[in-house]
Amino acid sequence: MRILVANVNTTQSMTDSIAAQARGAASPGTEIVGLTPRFGADSCEGNFESYLAAIAVMDRVVNYPEPFDAVIQAGYGEHGREGLQELLDVPVVDITEAAASTAMFLGHKYSVVTTLDRTVPLIEDRLKLAGLDARCASVRASGMAVLELEEHPDRAVEAIVQQALAAVRDDKAEVIVLGCGGMAGLDEQIRQRAGVPVVDGVAAAVTIAESLVRLGLSTSKVRTYAAPRPKSVIGWPLTAADVPAAR
């Protein structure tokens, strides 16, 4: 089984850490391929960067030259997962939905701890759109920018822990979800400090993707995620002929 794990930003070191976390969660025999977009921002912390990332991830995935069995979109929030589902006939798993749905198996309410405050509304909207907001106690910002997670890992852990503790104490959360792909690998440190289950979206997405592949299940194509209709696409590497049959 080969799973593509697509980073939504162009920072290669972050792709490497995300892929490493995915490999740690993968079953024997599952190959993890980390992908970095060819264009886009070095971090995604707002609507413009998010929509740009959606195009960049679709471009990178559909131009991957080898067969693959599933795709993980490794960005927390809104990054156009639905576009990939239209283009592909394999399962597409977004870490936002994977983490939140996994958290609901572990406690009555979960809280998300993310990066900057400006990303909070994007995450809230994504959870609501996915039908996962009813059991979300809160979405809290650590105040750390995405790139600072790598530059200052100790400070990042401390900031995330403080918000996790506040979520448990003040918001009555019973599970913490890490709300950024760049937080991959921090779950164990935060779990030890916060004293509650901590869900990393990359690891959760890998296990869900593997399960879907083993069950022989993929995205329904009868309506919402039917393949795009053939039409002229200008200024993007996909041609009109490629779009309906990207896979």
Side-chain angles (χ1 to χ4, degrees):
M1 184 188 308
R2 176 182 289 154
I3 299 177
L4 306 185
V5 180
N7 183 9
V8 299
N9 65 50
T10 58
T11 300
Q12 183 61 45
S13 59
M14 197 163 292
T15 301
D16 295 341
S17 65
I18 288 169
Q21 179 75 349
R23 291 186 185 104
S27 302
T30 296
E31 178 187 2
I32 299 294
V33 178
L35 298 181
T36 304
R38 296 186 308 109
F39 57 88
D42 57 2
S43 65
C44 293
E45 296 166 322
N47 288 287
F48 165 70
E49 294 152 1
S50 177
Y51 288 122
L52 181 61
I55 301 298
V57 168
M58 285 188 283
D59 167 65
R60 187 68 178 88
V61 170
V62 300
N63 285 291
Y64 182 76
E66 302 295 332
F68 54 90
D69 301 290
V71 175
I72 291 171
Q73 186 169 266
Y76 211 95
E78 170 56 69
H79 301 293
R81 177 264 299 161
E82 296 89 343
L84 280 177
Q85 288 187 293
E86 288 188 6
L87 291 171
L88 305 178
D89 59 10
V90 300
V92 178
V93 181
D94 175 79
I95 66 169
T96 311
E97 297 168 11
S101 58
T102 299
M104 292 194 298
F105 288 106
L106 306 174
H108 179 63
K109 291 274 190 177
Y110 69 92
S111 282
V112 178
V113 179
T114 187
T115 51
L116 301 179
D117 182 67
R118 64 175 296 160
T119 67
V120 170
L122 280 71
I123 293 172
E124 291 175 337
D125 287 352
R126 189 71 202 179
L127 293 172
K128 185 173 184 178
L129 182 65
L132 297 166
D133 59 318
R135 289 171 61 186
C136 180
S138 59
V139 180
R140 286 177 165 267
S142 66
M144 300 291 292
V146 171
L147 297 181
E148 289 181 314
L149 298 173
E150 287 191 330
E151 295 168 359
H152 307 288
D154 292 340
R155 194 196 310 169
V157 168
E158 186 61 33
I160 296 166
V161 165
Q162 292 307 310
Q163 291 303 316
L165 291 171
V168 173
R169 180 186 65 244
D170 301 332
D171 307 330
K172 308 307 178 187
E174 298 174 6
V175 183
I176 297 299
V177 167
L178 300 182
C180 176
M183 294 177 179
L186 301 181
D187 49 320
E188 184 56 38
Q189 296 179 68
I190 296 163
R191 183 182 299 118
Q192 292 176 1
R193 296 277 303 280
V196 296
V198 176
V199 180
D200 168 73
V202 174
V206 168
T207 60
I208 291 171
E210 287 183 328
S211 297
L212 292 173
V213 173
R214 292 195 179 101
L215 290 168
L217 297 173
S218 191
T219 307
S220 173
K221 293 293 185 177
V222 299
R223 190 184 185 192
T224 307
Y225 303 118
R229 296 180 62 200
K231 59 186 67 178
S232 177
V233 178
I234 299 172
W236 188 30
L238 292 179
T239 66
D242 291 330
V243 172
R247 282 285 293 135

